[in-house]
Amino acid sequence: MSTLYSSAEVHRAVELLVSRPLVRLVTEIDDNGAIPPRRLAGILPDLSTHQLRSASDTARAYGLVRVAPGAGLQLTDSGVELADLYDAMARWARRHAVPAPVCEFSSRIRHVLDVLAPSLTAERADAPSPLIDGAEAGLARPRTLLIQWLADNPQVARASEPEPVA
């Protein structure tokens, strides 16, 4: 559980995990169950067709959702664990009113991941942990869940950059 990542790996993982369309898709399925692909636009009307397709493709590529015959997109075990991680981060952020007292769920996720990210890098292994005092002390559980989730899903941090289209 003490796996440290390069700055590039942490950046890749954070950028994937804070994607607003991905956060919306994962949490919607977690809260309300499987979504038939044809109903995505009606259930998540604040997302464009491109955002929905991208989030769905990304979630499938990283093993967060699968298409269940007759039910639609449903979370895999990894997707359920990610939804639990999102919930733990959002609870901490709400409790501490960050990044603002009233804000979107995905903004809270981004804030917490931005706070946690430096503690995951190998470059910061010798630095004192910023998570030891004040309000950030409560981040120990979300940090542990994040480390475990990343260890169980190494493809998220270690994915290669997509090849540029010629």
Side-chain angles (χ1 to χ4, degrees):
M1 256 223 214
S2 61
T3 303
L4 294 175
Y5 301 91
S6 71
S7 292
E9 290 171 329
V10 170
H11 177 75
R12 251 190 310 279
V14 167
E15 287 309 305
L16 173 74
L17 295 176
V18 300
S19 162
R20 184 176 173 274
L22 182 67
V23 171
R24 293 276 291 118
L25 179 66
V26 168
T27 56
E28 182 66 32
I29 296 171
D30 183 54
D31 290 346
N32 298 302
I35 301 174
R38 290 187 178 137
R39 299 220 34 239
L40 278 174
I43 292 171
L44 300 167
D46 55 317
L47 300 178
S48 70
T49 302
H50 172 74
Q51 290 173 316
L52 289 169
R53 188 176 312 112
S54 178
S56 177
D57 290 348
T58 298
R60 273 191 245 135
Y62 286 99
L64 305 175
V65 300
R66 66 176 162 262
V67 179
L73 292 176
Q74 67 181 192
L75 295 178
T76 61
D77 290 342
S78 183
V80 170
E81 291 167 4
L82 179 58
D84 292 343
L85 173 60
Y86 283 158
D87 286 342
M89 290 188 289
R91 271 192 304 277
W92 180 87
R94 267 192 310 271
R95 191 174 312 119
H96 298 287
V98 293
V102 177
C103 65
E104 277 194 345
F105 185 86
S106 58
S107 296
R108 293 189 193 282
I109 301 305
R110 174 172 283 284
H111 178 82
V112 173
L113 282 169
D114 286 345
V115 170
L116 290 175
S119 72
L120 302 176
T121 63
E123 293 86 355
R124 303 264 319 207
D126 297 331
S129 173
L131 306 177
I132 54 175
D133 34 300
E136 292 176 351
L139 281 172
R141 181 171 183 271
R143 182 178 186 274
T144 299
L145 290 173
L146 175 60
I147 291 168
Q148 183 60 55
W149 193 86
L150 288 171
D152 292 345
N153 297 276
Q155 72 279 10
V156 171
R158 296 200 167 89
S160 60
E161 292 296 322
E163 292 293 319
V165 177

